[in-house]
Each structure stands twice: as C-alpha cells, then as structure tokens.
Amino acid sequence: MTKRLCKLNRRDISDNLGDIHRLVAEPKFLCRSCSRSSADKSTLCKPAAIPPASCQSKPLSEQQQCGVLAEALPTTTTPKLTKLPTKPSLNQRSMFKWPKS
C-alpha cells in the first residue's frame, strides 16, 4: 500500500483491508489532521507519536515530564484578544455606504 491512510478512497480501502487491519491493530502514531491512527508513521499525513499508556495515566503535573505527551497537554497561557473598533473610520465610511447613526 503506497498511499497514506488519510487519502484512501472506498475502493482503495476494500482492496487493502488486510494491510489496514495490520496498521491500525496496534497504533503508535496519530494523524494531527484527520485523527486516523497507524503503526507506521509514513502512512499518515501529519503523524504525531501516541504517548505510552504509562504517561497518559499520570496526573497532569507529572505528564509534563513525558516528552512525547508534552505537545498534547493544554497550554497555560491565554491568547491575547484585540479590541475591534465599534464604528468605522472615515476612510471606511467613504468606501462603503454605512448606515447613519
């Protein structure tokens, strides 16, 4: 099977079902794009290693020490929000017909 799992169509799936079963029986990688899993990372578009169960069962504070799991942990920083203008500027008013207030 030369295609990635993410790109298989129905016919490819039925023709390669045995290979697909072998790849997904004990997955080690997860596609960050479509969430498919596989034992071989070359069969996924954007593979990410699945952390071992021993790391996943630890408390959140200890999970940070598992390098493979670090990218999947929630971030503690909050995104900075920008304030949007409430009224259009003079340039915008001249370009578009805004309702008069």
Side-chain angles (χ1 to χ4, degrees), residues 58-72:
K58 292 181 180 179
L60 190 61
S61 59
E62 294 179 24
Q63 286 181 3
Q64 295 170 346
Q65 296 171 0
C66 292
V68 177
L69 189 62
E71 71 179 24

Side-chain angles (χ1 to χ4, degrees), residues 79-100:
K80 197 173 192 179
L81 300 176
T82 57
K83 188 175 179 181
L84 297 174
T86 54
K87 283 190 171 183
S89 66
L90 290 175
N91 290 340
Q92 289 173 330
R93 287 183 189 180
S94 63
M95 290 181 356
F96 305 103
K97 291 186 178 186
W98 293 91
K100 294 183 181 181

Side-chain angles (χ1 to χ4, degrees), residues 35-56:
S35 298
R36 287 177 173 86
S37 59
S38 175
D40 183 7
K41 75 178 190 177
S42 68
T43 60
L44 300 171
C45 292
K46 295 181 180 180
I50 296 175
S54 60
C55 285
Q56 293 179 26

Side-chain angles (χ1 to χ4, degrees), residues 6 17-18 32-33 41 51-52 82:
C6 310
L17 202 52
R32 291 185 304 240
S33 179
K41 75 178 190 177
T82 57

